[in-house]
Amino acid sequence: MAETTGFRRTDPTPDQLGDLPVQLRMAIPSEWEDRNGHVNVQFYVALYELGGWTVLEQAGVDEAWFEQRNISVFDLEHHVRYRAEVLTGDEVLTYNRLLSRSDKSFHGMYFIVNQTRGRLAATLEYVSACVDMRSRRITPFPEALAATLDGVLKKHRALGWAAPACGLMKL
C-alpha cells in the first residue's frame, strides 16, 4: 500500500517497545477467534481497554484518585492499524506511549506485540480528554494530573524512536 502523506512510517521493533513498561500480558482466549481463524478486530480495542489505564496507574493515578476528584478520562478518537495476525493461544504484550497533551486532552499510541511470534501486531492511536463527571463535560486537567502527564511525556519523548502516528489526529 502506498503512503499518501509524503513520509514513510517506521514501526518500532518489539525490542524498542521494551523501553516502555508493559501494560498488559495475556494469552488470547479461543473465544476471540473469528471465522478467518484469527483474533476478531473488536478484541484489539478490548486489549487497549484492558491495559490502557495502566499508563496512569503506573504514574500513581488510579481509580480512587479519579473518584475522589469526580473526574475521568474519555476517549474521543481511535485509529487502529493492523500489522500482523494474532491467533488464539498467542501471548501478547501491550505498551502505551503518550505523544502530546493540551490543557484538556492527550494524544497517545497503544502498541500490541504478539510475543509468541515476535512481531508488532497492531497500533491503536488515540485522543482522550479529561471530563468532569458531575457535568460530563470536558474540563482542564487538575494540576496534579497535568504534572503527572508531563512527567510521563518527558520520559516517552526521550525514547530513541519515533511513534508511527497517522498524522491526522490533533489536540
Side-chain angles (χ1 to χ4, degrees), residues 18-162:
D19 294 338
L20 294 165
V22 172
Q23 304 292 290
L24 177 71
R25 177 189 302 266
M26 72 175 282
I28 300 299
S30 60
E31 302 82 42
W32 287 17
E33 183 176 276
D34 67 12
R35 67 181 177 184
N36 292 318
H38 57 210
V39 171
N40 187 273
V41 296
Q42 68 184 311
F43 296 111
Y44 289 83
V45 176
L47 289 167
Y48 165 71
E49 175 59 28
L50 289 169
W53 286 97
T54 310
V55 72
L56 294 173
E57 291 166 357
Q58 288 171 337
V61 180
D62 60 11
E63 187 174 352
W65 190 96
F66 282 105
E67 285 177 8
Q68 290 168 354
R69 288 156 183 82
N70 284 314
I71 64 165
S72 192
V73 174
F74 287 11
D75 285 356
L76 304 178
E77 187 173 358
H78 292 150
H79 177 81
V80 181
R81 291 181 65 221
Y82 303 98
R83 310 302 294 147
E85 282 187 308
V86 176
L87 305 177
T88 62
D90 286 350
E91 181 180 46
V92 296
L93 302 176
T94 66
Y95 304 89
N96 201 333
R97 180 173 178 175
L98 295 186
L99 304 177
S100 63
R101 85 164 182 90
S102 69
D103 65 328
K104 296 179 182 179
S105 61
F106 60 90
H107 177 207
M109 185 164 269
Y110 197 69
F111 300 90
I112 301 169
V113 172
N114 185 327
Q115 184 72 0
T116 302
R117 302 176 195 288
R119 304 256 339 247
L120 176 63
T123 59
L124 188 149
E125 188 175 351
Y126 62 91
V127 172
S128 300
C130 184
V131 173
D132 180 317
M133 293 302 287
R134 292 172 296 246
S135 67
R136 301 194 69 83
R137 300 276 186 227
I138 295 173
T139 189
F141 291 112
E143 262 184 58
L145 181 52
T148 297
L149 290 170
D150 288 343
V152 172
L153 275 168
K154 183 177 179 181
K155 288 178 189 173
H156 291 184
R157 286 178 174 159
L159 296 171
W161 50 274

